[in-house]
Amino acid sequence: MGTTDKKSKNAAPKNGGHVIMDLPKNIYRSVIREKTTLRDQSESEPVSDNFFVHVLPVSPLEHPRFGYTLGLGVISMSLFLIVAATGMLMLFYYVPSTEQAYERIVDLNATVSFGRIVRNIHRWGAHGMVAAVFLHMCRVFFTGAYKPPREFSWVIGVFLFLVTLVFSYTGYLLTWDQLAYWGTTVGTSIAGYTPILGDTIQFLMLGGTTVGQETLLRFYVLHVFVLPLLMVTLLGLHFWRIRKDGGLAYQNGNERD
Ligand code: HEM
């Protein structure tokens, strides 16, 4: 069927087109698509337009190919859920104060029931998530799955990767030990070398001129409230786009029809 015709509607302009003039229109098209690009829309509407079943495949895949995705997106998502669940448990015990934070972590390790295992699952889960998201991004790059019509999924993905890294960085300070203190001192000093805005950025990150109570509180609020909210919103967008773009791009470049 006319897959090529449908694809070309959303394709980037060829050389010689008004690349700059067409930019706003092309960005708009990559974000809001009126139709799914890969199949006859009327066939998929009963599933894709229904809130309760829209996450299910419209039709079963003929040849599910584990070797194509390596399950890395699903692994990233699973690790995020594990890290979120263990993080929520630790919220019951942790106190974001320079007086108490370190002792709370020591107690969590030594005396609180299941404290050590919950903390370790959270730490290792977070390290694993950084690795899995990075490898997922490499997989998407090497299979060329970022190409139209999936360019907006790639852009959301870049933000997901950044949010994952900022999660790790802000979590690092919360233990309030020597490693955390000096790691944050070095990181915020590097940010201070940003051209023009360096001092402002450093001041905003620290909440002052040195790492202290204000910094700990800021990193805590980012880690337990702002970043989770951002992550869940971006993940929702990511999965919505994957569905609207007709599922996964295939290894050999052929789209599902
Ligand atoms: C928390 C981070 C992320 C999660 C949980 C996630 C989850 C997923 C899942 C479950 C899929 C389905 C296929 C698969 O399992 O590989 C997928 C596909 C995709 N992801 Fe992600 N992802 C994340 C980050 C990223 C990043 C960092 C990028 C790129 C910068 C990205 C770009 C894409 C693209 C373009 C697809 C469609 C791939 C295709 O059609 O073959 N994602 N993602």
Side-chain angles (χ1 to χ4, degrees):
M1 62 181 232
T3 322
T4 331
D5 297 347
K6 286 181 184 171
K7 263 203 289 187
S8 60
K9 256 176 67 180
N10 288 306
K14 299 264 179 303
N15 285 344
H18 295 287
V19 179
I20 301 291
M21 302 293 280
D22 288 346
L23 204 59
K25 193 175 67 193
N26 285 331
I27 291 177
Y28 178 80
R29 272 197 193 154
S30 75
V31 177
I32 310 284
R33 278 176 214 288
E34 284 160 18
K35 297 183 173 189
T36 85
T37 50
L38 307 173
R39 62 171 75 239
D40 180 354
Q41 199 179 6
S42 60
E43 285 175 17
S44 58
E45 268 169 2
V47 174
S48 63
D49 289 357
N50 183 314
F51 177 76
F52 294 101
V53 295
H54 82 275
V55 291
L56 302 174
V58 173
S59 55
L61 299 182
E62 268 177 46
H63 308 286
R65 294 173 196 181
F66 176 77
Y68 172 67
T69 64
L70 302 173
L72 288 164
V74 173
I75 292 173
S76 308
M77 185 64 200
S78 312
L79 286 171
F80 174 63
L81 292 177
I82 290 169
V83 169
T86 47
M88 254 184 274
L89 287 178
M90 289 198 292
L91 280 182
F92 285 108
Y93 200 71
Y94 180 79
V95 180
S97 121
T98 51
E99 306 280 304
Q100 291 191 48
Y102 179 70
E103 271 76 27
R104 289 271 166 169
I105 298 288
V106 171
D107 279 358
L108 195 65
N109 262 345
T111 56
V112 177
S113 310
F114 302 108
R116 182 190 289 256
I117 187 144
V118 169
R119 181 176 176 223
N120 279 329
I121 292 174
H122 190 76
R123 277 177 80 95
W124 285 103
H127 294 325
M129 187 176 159
V130 173
V133 173
F134 177 72
L135 291 174
H136 171 59
M137 192 166 156
C138 293
R139 188 289 285 175
V140 169
F141 179 76
F142 287 119
T143 55
Y146 55 82
K147 291 180 194 166
R150 293 178 180 75
E151 65 276 48
F152 187 55
S153 299
W154 174 264
V155 173
I156 299 166
V158 171
F159 284 106
L160 278 170
F161 183 55
L162 290 177
V163 169
T164 307
L165 294 183
V166 181
F167 248 125
S168 281
Y169 183 64
T170 49
Y172 198 70
L173 180 66
L174 302 186
T175 51
W176 202 248
D177 53 12
Q178 286 294 320
L179 211 59
Y181 182 87
W182 291 109
T184 308
T185 303
V186 171
T188 50
S189 303
I190 293 171
Y193 285 100
T194 310
I196 304 165
L197 293 175
D199 287 346
T200 316
I201 293 174
Q202 190 176 11
F203 190 80
L204 271 177
M205 286 174 83
L206 292 173
T209 48
T210 52
V211 176
Q213 176 61 62
E214 297 309 320
T215 325
L216 183 58
L217 195 57
R218 249 154 231 238
F219 278 41
Y220 176 75
V221 173
L222 284 173
H223 194 78
V224 309
F225 181 71
V226 180
L227 293 171
L229 203 67
L230 210 59
M231 181 68 113
V232 169
T233 311
L234 288 170
L235 283 173
L237 271 175
H238 194 49
F239 296 137
W240 171 70
R241 284 310 321 169
I242 293 168
R243 291 287 299 134
K244 289 291 166 190
D245 292 332
L248 301 183
Y250 269 176
Q251 208 166 9
N252 54 12
N254 292 336
E255 302 292 4
R256 184 153 49 112
D257 55 23

